[in-house]
Amino acid sequence: MSLLVVGSVAFDAIKTPYGKTDKILGGAATYFSLAASFFTDVRVVGVVGDDFTAKEEQVFHARKIDISGITREKGKSFFWSGEYGENVNEAKTLDTQLGVFGNFNPQIPDKFKDSGYLFLANIDPMLQLNVRRQLNGARFVAGDTMNYWINGYRSQLNEVLKNVDALLINDTEAKMLAQDPSLARAAHKVLAMGPQALVIKHGEYGATVFFREGAFGIGRHPFRAPTLPIEVVADPTGAGDSFAGGFMGYIASQNQITRDVFKRAMFYGGVLGSFAVEAFGTERLQRLTREQIDERYKVFRELTHIE
Amino acid sequence: MSLLVVGSVAFDAIKTPYGKTDKILGGAATYFSLAASFFTDVRVVGVVGDDFTAKEEQVFHARKIDISGITREKGKSFFWSGEYGENVNEAKTLDTQLGVFGNFNPQIPDKFKDSGYLFLANIDPMLQLNVRRQLNGARFVAGDTMNYWINGYRSQLNEVLKNVDALLINDTEAKMLAQDPSLARAAHKVLAMGPQALVIKHGEYGATVFFREGAFGIGRHPFRAPTLPIEVVADPTGAGDSFAGGFMGYIASQNQITRDVFKRAMFYGGVLGSFAVEAFGTERLQRLTREQIDERYKVFRELTHIE
């Protein structure tokens, strides 16, 4: 069933210990849709400026991603420039230019209203809510957020949490959202705010999904997926969005939401995240194949399974 | 086959957000031997002072641990006082008194020389080497160390690394030892220093074992074991030593060292570490049962296994 993502389509300039780039294609919805496209039909709603050309369009077309929901405005696309040091979990922002993204007011085209799965990438919670209401019939809705919204837009974010089935955030965000330094306790506090499932991404240590008691008829035992110990993290940008894309893409490709589907989705999320960081920007995702994905999925199994 | 541990038997005074203790039984060899005692015969070589009484002896006797290798000297046992904040991975040392441990010069009693398995807990690398030489016939030798020895006793530590089959350390220690901020690269650099296997403990994220190419005929694919997301970490003291005890105890209980044995040992290590932190000091290990261990082992499987 079709998967709709709403979020940023942008340009990034990135510096890491392994190199640097000029302005290259980036944005949460870009990484997400590329990762998800290996599993299901993906549709994007976003906004770009004049600098988004046929070259960038081709990246989406090559993966058969429907970008007819990306509107074009006069001006520049969202631009982010950042630098990573040896700690790949922390980016230092050098420059942010909202451009046309500053007035982003996402509207779901009628032809996308039959999307069964929705991912609300990290944008203003008011916009997330607005999109959520436009797609009331979705079977499964997940969202992301960040410290900026957690700290300054708590009441709006609380509304979002009541209207998503799953939230995907990292350790720091979970602890901040729950105002609790214990990850396990924070998880249960966030679940009490609304979502049935909470996926906490641990960076190089993998990710854990926590469930509310009785969620999806699954029970509340958590499940933990690994990631590969990677020697060269060329560019960590987009790892979390690629995780979300693999996770949601796999779920959307299945007919039901079971514990087994969730487990495999967690593994596929980890696999897509691990590929994304191997090269700069979306480069590795662009030349990825389903065969490579399934091969690494087996490696992840071998990495964690006793027999 | 019998497992010998050489290390500290001590007293700790601990403060955590969940409470505080007066002087209670602690020390690496104590946690290690209690954890290992659920799997195999355990022998301890250490030194204590006058303050080590029949009450402390009874903790070991109750688990059938042979403490006839613990010598008694005039003076006080090693004492450590520390405090943990909300970050359970960092202890603030309030007081350290070496006492009789300052002159520790471990001698393996003749009757212990048939021990097939040896664990060199975190002590002066010169003493670790000295013990290693006294037990040349051991089938499998593992060791621990810490930042103090890594920073100041590099050449002695290098000799230890050439004379152990496995090293068990945490993330920070691995990166420090390899002088490389990438965990995966650090792992391979440490393996190049000598050990066949390197177990890196990730605290609340579990642990990963890395192998040298061809080690034990196992191949070099790593294996990652989880730990349980725990809501109340009453006292993190001894978690790493309990991990090591579960890990080595299980290996010593098996007839051969295979990849499957390593995998299960990693799981048992995680299980014992997860129990240790549930109560202050060795309290939880003292009232632990093999049935509870095997039950949690199943939970760890469920937490990580797809099908």
Side-chain angles (χ1 to χ4, degrees), chain B residues 15-307:
Chain B
K15 193 175 171 196
T16 84
Y18 296 97
K20 60 177 292 196
T21 70
D22 288 328
K23 220 174 144 180
I24 56 170
L25 179 63
T30 304
Y31 284 100
F32 180 95
S33 61
L34 287 171
S37 70
F38 293 95
F39 302 95
T40 194
D41 292 333
V42 186
R43 299 153 167 185
V44 184
V45 165
V47 63
V48 293
D50 312 319
D51 47 0
F52 189 83
T53 68
K55 184 184 157 207
E56 283 76 35
E57 280 183 5
Q58 180 50 29
V59 173
F60 294 90
H61 290 326
R63 293 290 325 145
K64 298 191 177 8
I65 297 163
D66 187 338
I67 55 169
S68 62
I70 299 183
T71 55
R72 286 149 182 287
E73 304 286 341
K74 216 174 157 58
K76 295 275 186 193
S77 302
F78 182 94
F79 172 72
W80 176 79
S81 169
E83 182 173 352
Y84 298 87
E86 291 293 357
N87 179 352
V88 296
N89 299 314
E90 277 175 35
K92 183 180 163 198
T93 293
L94 301 174
D95 191 12
T96 303
Q97 294 175 22
L98 285 180
V100 297
F101 193 69
N103 299 314
F104 187 35
N105 183 17
Q107 301 300 320
I108 311 296
D110 282 341
K111 61 176 175 177
F112 285 179
K113 295 246 166 101
D114 63 344
S115 304
Y117 296 82
L118 171 64
F119 186 69
L120 304 163
N122 169 35
I123 54 173
D124 183 334
M126 288 306 290
L127 300 184
Q128 290 181 315
L129 262 182
N130 183 14
V131 170
R132 176 70 185 94
R133 287 186 186 126
Q134 293 176 53
L135 209 75
N136 263 323
R139 289 175 64 169
F140 185 83
V141 180
D144 186 11
T145 191
M146 69 183 292
N147 46 9
Y148 179 77
W149 309 115
I150 295 171
N151 285 329
Y153 296 78
R154 175 73 60 156
S155 63
Q156 296 90 327
L157 191 54
N158 282 344
E159 279 308 301
V160 174
L161 294 180
K162 286 178 196 146
N163 287 284
V164 295
D165 300 294
L167 181 71
L168 284 77
I169 50 180
N170 67 29
D171 287 43
T172 310
E173 290 157 355
K175 291 174 183 178
M176 195 181 284
L177 186 53
Q179 299 178 289
D180 193 317
S182 150
L183 196 65
R185 275 201 313 266
H188 295 302
K189 287 184 183 172
V190 173
L191 289 171
M193 296 177 191
Q196 302 284 302
L198 170 66
V199 176
I200 303 184
K201 296 168 284 181
H202 312 310
E204 63 179 320
Y205 301 115
T208 307
V209 57
F210 295 85
F211 299 103
R212 267 170 82 172
E213 188 75 53
F216 314 110
I218 283 174
R220 74 176 268 184
H221 282 300
F223 181 72
R224 178 167 284 184
T227 188
L228 206 62
I230 296 175
E231 298 200 21
V232 173
V233 176
D235 172 14
T237 312
D241 298 313
S242 302
F243 179 101
F247 175 84
M248 283 295 284
Y250 179 75
I251 288 182
S253 75
Q254 301 298 301
N255 286 321
Q256 44 183 355
I257 293 167
T258 65
R259 186 167 169 87
D260 281 342
V261 167
F262 256 102
K263 287 177 173 184
R264 291 192 289 264
M266 290 291 288
F267 263 60
Y268 280 118
V271 166
L272 270 294
S274 77
F275 277 119
V277 304
E278 288 183 351
F280 276 81
T282 58
E283 201 185 297
R284 186 66 186 92
L285 295 183
Q286 287 187 48
R287 55 183 165 81
L288 190 59
T289 67
R290 181 62 195 251
E291 290 65 37
Q292 290 172 332
I293 292 172
D294 288 328
E295 202 179 306
R296 186 161 294 182
Y297 182 95
K298 281 186 202 147
V299 173
F300 272 43
R301 265 194 71 130
E302 170 61 16
L303 186 70
T304 50
H305 284 224
I306 290 190
E307 48 235 332

Side-chain angles (χ1 to χ4, degrees), chain A residues 99-172:
Chain A
V100 298
F101 193 70
N103 299 314
F104 186 35
N105 183 18
Q107 299 301 320
I108 311 297
D110 282 342
K111 61 177 177 177
F112 285 179
K113 295 245 165 103
D114 64 344
S115 304
Y117 296 82
L118 170 63
F119 187 69
L120 303 164
N122 168 34
I123 54 173
D124 183 336
M126 287 307 290
L127 300 184
Q128 290 180 316
L129 261 183
N130 183 12
V131 169
R132 177 68 185 94
R133 287 186 186 127
Q134 292 175 54
L135 208 75
N136 263 323
R139 289 175 63 170
F140 186 82
V141 180
D144 187 9
T145 191
M146 69 183 293
N147 47 8
Y148 179 78
W149 310 116
I150 295 171
N151 285 328
Y153 296 78
R154 175 72 61 156
S155 63
Q156 295 90 329
L157 190 55
N158 282 344
E159 279 308 301
V160 174
L161 293 179
K162 286 179 197 145
N163 287 283
V164 294
D165 300 294
L167 181 70
L168 284 76
I169 50 181
N170 66 30
D171 287 43
T172 310

